[in-house]
Amino acid sequence: MTFSIAARCPRTGQLGVGALTARPAVGKLVAHVHAGGGAVATQATCNPFLAYDGLPLLAEGRPPRDVLTGLLARDPGREVRQVGMVDRQGRSHAFTGSRTRDWAGHHTGPGYAAQGNRLVGPETLAEIVRVFEDSRDLDLAERLVLAVEAGEEAGGDRHGARSATVTVIGDQPYPLWDVRVDDAEHPARELRRLHGVFRAEVLPTIQGLPTRDDPMGEAARQALG
């Protein structure tokens, strides 16, 4: 896999992952988000259990550093793993195994963990972080799309790009945003296009769905008159 950023918005509490890679279906393989736990991106030689086992531990309030350290200690393939975690408090931690493909590395800050492998160089990750940090006033989905675009523009994967994703969860268990490009010649460009389609046509539907506090939902309320 190539690069990803797991993040939390301090204004809304939303959690999300943005990613791009040279293989198909990066959204299926890399991005894992849970409203009560956090956001996890698992890549390089993926281990989905770093997310499936990690998110419930984050939901218990355990710090991402402790969660990731414990999970990796039990993973015999850890030196070919790369993973970033952010919890619902905005605490972050990341790991890059010693045998991930160059260039590989990660950068963490308040509310985000950015990581990449098989990149053209560290400048790709630096640009992802810069763009994400400089867009604090925007909503999380837009910031993640911008970060993906910036990463591809800054060189991205040495083998090109084929798929991209942005997934964001708010205060409900279902995603607020789930935009995936599974196989495209210019995935970041297609992600931007689909983000616009999603905002115009899908997001209003999601915002009208039932919630835990409103089991009817606004869409049903309007349909019933």
Side-chain angles (χ1 to χ4, degrees):
M1 296 304 159
T2 176
F3 64 76
S4 66
I5 179 167
R8 175 186 180 273
C9 174
R11 292 184 294 104
T12 64
Q14 293 175 0
L15 294 151
V17 172
L20 180 144
T21 191
R23 297 178 60 191
V26 69
K28 165 66 175 175
L29 296 170
V30 170
H32 304 269
V33 190
H34 186 276
V40 178
T42 171
Q43 57 190 56
T45 304
C46 293
N47 179 356
F49 289 106
L50 295 175
Y52 287 114
D53 293 344
L55 285 167
L57 297 175
L58 294 177
E60 293 175 3
R62 301 188 191 185
R65 179 184 295 273
D66 294 351
V67 170
L68 192 50
T69 299
L71 292 174
L72 288 168
R74 302 193 299 271
D75 182 356
R78 57 187 169 271
E79 295 308 326
V80 291
R81 313 290 190 211
Q82 190 172 50
V83 60
M85 283 186 174
V86 177
D87 70 4
R88 65 181 185 272
Q89 299 178 49
R91 298 176 295 184
S92 61
H93 191 60
F95 171 83
T96 299
S98 63
R99 296 184 62 183
T100 51
R101 296 183 181 183
D102 285 336
W103 184 86
H106 58 263
H107 183 91
T108 61
Y112 70 86
Q115 42 283 323
N117 66 86
R118 205 173 61 181
L119 302 181
V120 296
E123 62 272 16
T124 300
L125 203 62
E127 185 64 6
I128 292 167
V129 169
R130 183 193 69 78
V131 167
F132 185 78
E133 290 184 337
D134 288 350
S135 58
R136 294 182 182 90
D137 294 338
L138 302 177
D139 65 63
L140 183 58
E142 174 66 19
R143 295 177 73 190
L144 293 174
V145 173
L146 287 170
V148 170
E149 291 175 322
E152 186 175 43
E153 182 67 22
D157 192 311
R158 291 188 289 109
H159 293 267
R162 194 168 170 188
S163 66
T165 190
V166 163
T167 301
V168 173
I169 279 185
D171 58 357
Q172 300 302 313
Y174 50 78
L176 184 62
W177 292 83
D178 189 357
V179 186
R180 300 187 184 191
V181 178
D182 286 330
D183 185 11
E185 185 176 354
H186 301 288
R189 187 186 308 170
E190 181 66 1
L191 184 71
R192 169 58 69 186
R193 186 187 72 81
L194 290 177
H195 173 268
V197 173
F198 198 100
R199 180 184 292 279
E201 300 184 35
V202 183
L203 187 61
T205 298
I206 293 172
Q207 292 171 329
L209 293 175
T211 68
R212 294 299 190 196
D213 294 331
D214 180 9
M216 177 177 285
E218 185 59 29
R221 187 172 294 107
Q222 292 183 13
L224 291 170

